Amino acid sequence: MKSIKVISIRIALFGFMSFILSNCERNLSGDVEFARFSTNPEVFIDGFSSGLQYFPFQGSKLDAFSVDTEIRYSGSSSMRFDVPNFGDPAGAFAGAIFPDNGGRDLTDYDALTFWAKASQSATINEIGFGSDFGDNKFIVTLNNMRISTAWTKYTIPIPDPSRLVAEKGLFWYAEGPEDGNGYSFWIDELKFEKLGTVAQPRPAMFNGIDESVETFIGTNISIDGLTQTFNLASGQNVTVSAAPSYFTFKSSNVDVARVNENGMVSIVGSGTAKITALLAGVRAQGSLTINSVGTFVPAPTPTRNPADVISVFSDAYTNIPVDFYNGFFAPFQTTLGGAVNIGGENVIRYTQLNFVATEFKNPTVNLSQMTHFHVDIQIQEPINPGDFISIELGDFGPNNAFGGGDDSSGRVTFTSTSLTRNTWISLDIPLAQFGLASRNNMAQIFFISDATISTLLVDNMYFYK
Amino acid sequence: MNQRNQFKLRIMNRIWLRISSACMLVALLSCSDYEQTVTTMNELVIQDEFDTNGAPNSAIWGYDIGTGTNGWGNNELQYYTDRKENVTVQNGYLIITARKESYQGSPYTSARLLTKGKFEQAYGRFEARIRLPWGQGMWPAFWMLGADIDTNPWPAAGEIDIMEFRGQEPSTVLGTVHGPGYSAGESISKSYTLKNDRFDTGFHVFGIEWTPKYVNFYVDDVLYNQITPADVPGEWVFNKPFFILINLAVGGSFVGSPNSETVFPQTMLVDYVRVYK
């Protein structure tokens, strides 16, 4: 039976084989070929390739790039980049894009490659391609590229070459001083190549983590941590940041959540939906599970007389100047988020909460006439017995500045028994309960959960009498 | 029909069946002015095309089970089993799977098949079509041992490594002979590196043609080494029956341990094993 099957396949495929064989002898008629953008793979070999331009970033040292005919890997010249010292009046960093605004068809290639060396060992912050000072639709970034004083070949893989039919951004980089010191690096033989050894793609969203979130209709969530990882001929894995447009996103329930090609998730209904992604047909690691609790119910509108109120965050009052709603204090803070607008209401939404500060030190606030602190909070997850929320006030003391030995702070803690899920909890706390030495120079409000409670909504933060 | 044409036809026969992956090869062959005579023996002695789903054909294949002595003499890290999780035939392929799992005190499991006591032959053409795994610490091999190894311990029994591969060097394979006075670090070996391609993204044919006068090593249509009695600094022991082994080792002195970036499970896919004389 098998031999019969084989013969039939041979007959069926004979025509196709003849076609393949004949392909060696003459090219197909020009009639069947589609018009393509330039397929020139060269970016900088010994000079600017046809159409290539140089545009430095605003704020960068504008003359950081030059063509060097003394130091080069091969040929007659290389690209030289002079990273400024800290404090250089000419610019704080070196950075530029090198586009060909005519566009190139890079679908035949699988990587951008180049030879590079530096005047000292260093780590280049960002280097890649796809930046065109437009939509950067297919931007690719290799972060923290280690470079040494020896010429070394580097490979930045293309996450999905089939997308680059008309790419303008051929090369870009951004690099700051190393420990405050400037240095120089050189790049040569910069070109796109078909290596054939860029393999084993492993795309990821949210850096491969399965995330979940409770949210409302009207919320938008940006998908981040989008990466593509390949194994190279060297056996090394290389991971690049890849623009959302390389990915195809999918929502398991479009009545709950939808994703656009920029990786923005819109919550349109109540229920659950799981967002997943494909890159060139390969399922990305990581996902986002959305539990939409439906229509957003705003916090109760405050009714106190504005004359009796000093407001930090509320749509009902004129707020004092606030420096930030999330200080992103490194390295211990995990909390993300800040002020957002949900369905026309300004609220603060924190995720991955462990602690977070709102700061208002320009100027600090004199609360000597005030008696209470009010805040509305909402917790969007199951509340377990050990969960708590602490609210801490920080006063900068007579010197009116952080530190100096005169600061005072104090906190009030609400344990799980006083917390309910998915409903606004209105707290009115007498300022005396915070036990502060001074409250004439108030500057900070902390929310602390030590990661027991992850997602917290906050509204109507004000002091009153 | 001369031998060169026979070889070309044989290649073509394979390609009719594997057209999607091999049409490039045909194009190259037909364009090339130079054609190398790679193989001369074309009388099939035994073949396993792995066309029956389930456990491999027990008339041909047995198993080494466990960890051997000192990880099969190489400090290998895996425990070999004959479970379907580690060795099975599916959809026309023998699938050997290396898993990261705690099993009988070992951190990994995998499989090692051998034809010892079932099929042994002196001389001939031994070849297999294989897609290899990838990643630091993966060590697949298609190889042979002298059938008298139980009474004539290694290295005196002889070993022919038709194909060995390090997962961290995805484009390179090695062909090697070991014998008395030229084993392990002193073995006679040569590597072959693919240009603009790698061994873990598609199938490749690995073979030897072995006569009393030489062992020829080839990959696909490229003959890349010949080892003769004059090349070995000891007794030529490749003059008696050998049996075939196919295995996927994890870690060991040849390849080093897997690291945090090694992806598990890893699979070695064998499309066929054929022996000619």
Side-chain angles (χ1 to χ4, degrees):
Chain A
M1 286 304 290
K2 187 173 178 181
S3 61
I4 293 170
K5 186 177 155 200
V6 168
I7 288 165
S8 68
I9 291 171
R10 284 184 192 180
I11 293 166
L13 294 177
F14 183 77
F16 179 55
M17 289 305 296
S18 308
F19 164 75
I20 294 282
L21 293 168
S22 70
N23 197 18
C24 297
E25 291 156 27
R26 60 185 172 84
N27 288 323
L28 293 169
S29 157
D31 297 346
V32 301
E33 293 191 7
F34 294 100
R36 293 175 75 181
F37 284 81
S38 165
T39 57
N40 180 9
E42 297 184 351
V43 183
F44 186 105
I45 305 299
D46 284 313
F48 276 46
S49 61
S50 176
L52 190 71
Q53 293 181 280
Y54 165 62
F55 295 117
F57 285 120
Q58 191 171 22
S60 73
K61 183 174 153 65
L62 297 181
D63 59 354
F65 164 70
S66 60
V67 175
D68 194 332
T69 55
E70 302 281 314
I71 296 174
R72 70 238 187 225
Y73 173 72
S74 78
S76 58
S77 67
S78 73
M79 306 172 86
R80 176 187 174 121
F81 301 91
D82 296 313
V83 181
N85 288 319
F86 178 76
D88 187 331
F93 69 105
I97 71 168
F98 292 79
D100 174 353
N101 286 325
R104 301 263 185 103
D105 182 338
L106 303 174
T107 55
D108 292 341
Y109 312 112
D110 54 21
L112 177 69
T113 68
F114 52 88
W115 289 82
K117 73 165 200 169
S119 58
Q120 62 171 69
S121 292
T123 303
I124 297 177
N125 292 342
E126 294 176 298
I127 190 163
F129 55 89
S131 179
D132 56 7
F133 284 172
D135 293 339
N136 292 346
K137 198 172 171 188
F138 294 111
I139 190 170
V140 168
T141 309
L142 177 60
N143 295 287
N144 302 319
M145 190 190 91
R146 295 284 289 147
I147 188 169
S148 79
T149 55
W151 284 110
T152 303
K153 187 171 182 180
Y154 294 87
T155 299
I156 304 180
I158 303 175
D160 177 4
S162 72
R163 310 304 291 266
L164 304 186
V165 293
E167 182 54 47
K168 294 176 182 172
L170 300 187
F171 178 64
W172 78 279
Y173 82 103
E175 166 65 335
E178 299 275 311
D179 297 325
N181 296 320
Y183 71 103
S184 299
F185 65 92
W186 292 264
I187 286 179
D188 202 355
E189 306 298 297
L190 178 65
K191 63 183 185 239
F192 289 89
E193 278 192 83
K194 174 72 177 181
L195 296 171
T197 51
V198 175
Q200 309 296 356
R202 285 182 295 146
M205 59 192 286
F206 296 112
N207 296 308
I209 307 292
D210 291 314
E211 300 275 9
S212 63
V213 64
E214 296 226 7
T215 187
F216 303 97
I217 293 170
T219 309
N220 294 315
I221 301 166
S222 180
I223 295 173
D224 56 22
L226 291 166
T227 63
Q228 172 71 303
T229 301
F230 285 108
N231 188 256
L232 303 183
S234 63
Q236 301 294 310
N237 293 319
V238 61
T239 298
V240 295
S241 297
S245 291
Y246 283 106
F247 292 79
T248 305
F249 299 102
K250 182 169 178 283
S251 169
S252 65
N253 189 343
V254 294
D255 294 330
V256 175
R258 296 170 188 179
V259 201
N260 71 12
E261 67 163 358
N262 295 320
M264 186 61 75
V265 183
S266 304
I267 312 304
V268 297
S270 59
T272 60
K274 187 173 185 180
I275 309 297
T276 54
L278 293 173
L279 201 172
V282 180
R283 165 87 153 79
Q285 275 188 10
S287 63
L288 174 65
T289 299
I290 289 157
N291 183 21
S292 169
V293 296
T295 308
F296 176 67
V297 178
T301 303
T303 55
R304 290 178 208 285
N305 183 346
D308 297 335
V309 168
I310 296 175
S311 177
V312 177
F313 184 90
S314 175
D315 286 346
Y317 301 110
T318 302
N319 298 316
I320 60 167
V322 172
D323 299 298
F324 51 76
Y325 301 106
N326 185 344
F328 295 101
F329 293 156
F332 302 112
Q333 183 185 325
T334 60
T335 313
L336 301 177
V340 295
N341 189 294
I342 303 178
E345 296 281 333
N346 290 306
V347 296
I348 295 170
R349 184 169 184 279
Y350 296 123
T351 58
Q352 298 178 44
L353 177 67
N354 62 343
F355 69 89
V356 68
T358 292
E359 193 164 278
F360 37 97
K361 64 182 180 189
N362 296 304
T364 59
V365 178
N366 186 340
L367 296 184
S368 57
Q369 301 304 309
M370 299 291 120
T371 60
H372 286 74
F373 174 64
H374 174 92
V375 65
D376 299 313
I377 61 172
Q378 188 173 142
I379 297 162
Q380 299 184 297
E381 62 198 37
I383 296 165
N384 300 312
D387 290 1
F388 69 92
I389 291 286
S390 290
I391 297 169
E392 182 171 306
L393 300 182
D395 187 284
F396 281 180
N399 74 353
N400 209 23
F402 181 74
D406 61 352
D407 296 1
S408 66
S409 64
R411 67 174 67 174
V412 175
T413 296
F414 299 88
T415 58
S416 59
T417 52
S418 57
L419 303 172
T420 0
R421 179 187 180 188
N422 286 342
T423 184
W424 286 104
I425 304 164
S426 295
L427 302 172
D428 290 280
I429 313 165
L431 291 178
Q433 286 189 15
F434 290 94
L436 298 166
S438 154
R439 50 182 194 248
N440 295 348
N441 304 91
M442 191 61 60
Q444 293 175 321
I445 302 169
F446 283 84
F447 294 95
I448 301 156
S449 76
D450 287 355
T452 60
I453 286 166
S454 176
T455 303
L456 185 72
L457 289 177
V458 177
D459 201 358
N460 299 317
M461 282 197 283
Y462 59 85
F463 303 96
Y464 67 94
K465 63 180 178 184
Chain B
M1 187 179 286
N2 67 31
Q3 286 165 343
R4 191 170 66 184
N5 282 341
Q6 279 178 24
F7 172 72
K8 190 176 168 188
L9 270 183
R10 189 182 51 76
I11 286 278
M12 298 289 281
N13 281 341
R14 269 209 308 272
I15 287 157
W16 292 113
L17 297 167
R18 304 288 170 200
I19 181 156
S20 61
S21 61
C23 58
M24 279 298 290
L25 181 59
V26 174
L28 290 171
L29 276 177
S30 62
C31 289
S32 172
D33 292 333
Y34 171 71
E35 286 183 20
Q36 185 181 40
T37 301
V38 176
T39 58
T40 59
M41 302 180 194
N42 295 306
E43 187 181 333
L44 201 58
V45 177
I46 189 172
Q47 69 186 123
D48 195 339
E49 302 291 320
F50 304 108
D51 284 337
T52 305
N53 286 354
N57 183 353
S58 61
I60 302 176
W61 302 104
Y63 305 91
D64 277 334
I65 303 292
T67 58
T69 304
N70 297 325
W72 304 101
N74 302 305
N75 303 308
E76 297 165 30
L77 302 176
Q78 79 292 330
Y79 191 101
Y80 283 135
T81 86
D82 60 359
R83 303 174 305 159
K84 65 179 187 303
E85 291 90 335
N86 296 115
V87 54
T88 186
V89 174
Q90 297 290 335
N91 303 317
Y93 300 110
L94 168 67
I95 305 172
I96 301 176
T97 304
R99 295 181 182 278
K100 186 175 184 176
E101 59 177 336
S102 186
Y103 187 87
Q104 302 286 335
S106 294
Y108 305 96
T109 58
S110 186
R112 171 151 131 174
L113 286 73
L114 65 172
T115 65
K116 186 181 180 187
K118 296 171 188 276
F119 175 77
E120 296 167 350
Q121 178 176 309
Y123 312 122
R125 178 171 136 217
F126 299 76
E127 73 171 34
R129 186 168 181 270
I130 304 173
R131 194 189 80 185
L132 294 172
W134 65 284
Q136 166 69 43
M138 306 313 300
W139 179 14
F142 170 46
W143 54 301
M144 303 176 76
L145 282 170
D148 58 347
I149 190 162
D150 289 342
T151 55
N152 183 20
W154 190 89
E159 172 181 331
I160 303 173
D161 300 325
I162 303 169
M163 180 280 299
E164 284 186 288
F165 174 80
R166 293 181 175 97
Q168 59 266 37
E169 296 173 22
S171 299
T172 299
V173 291
L174 295 102
T176 306
V177 298
H178 303 255
Y182 50 99
S183 63
E186 282 78 48
S187 60
I188 309 302
S189 184
K190 187 174 177 182
S191 68
Y192 174 74
T193 299
L194 287 175
K195 196 169 163 51
N196 298 326
D197 199 0
R198 35 197 291 161
F199 288 106
D200 60 336
T201 52
F203 283 87
H204 294 271
V205 176
F206 305 98
I208 58 163
E209 198 158 69
W210 169 26
T211 75
K213 293 179 179 168
Y214 59 82
V215 181
N216 279 353
F217 291 82
Y218 60 94
V219 173
D220 299 323
D221 57 345
V222 177
L223 180 64
Y224 72 93
N225 198 21
Q226 179 173 72
I227 297 175
T228 69
D231 296 321
V232 302
E235 185 191 350
W236 181 257
V237 293
F238 310 100
N239 50 9
K240 57 194 172 66
F242 276 53
F243 59 84
I244 300 170
L245 302 95
I246 300 176
N247 69 298
L248 173 49
V250 180
S253 22
F254 177 77
V255 72
S257 296
N259 61 23
S260 61
E261 294 191 11
T262 307
V263 175
F264 284 95
Q266 281 292 320
T267 54
M268 176 181 188
L269 269 58
V270 185
D271 182 26
Y272 63 71
V273 176
R274 294 175 188 162
V275 179
Y276 304 81
K277 66 177 183 185

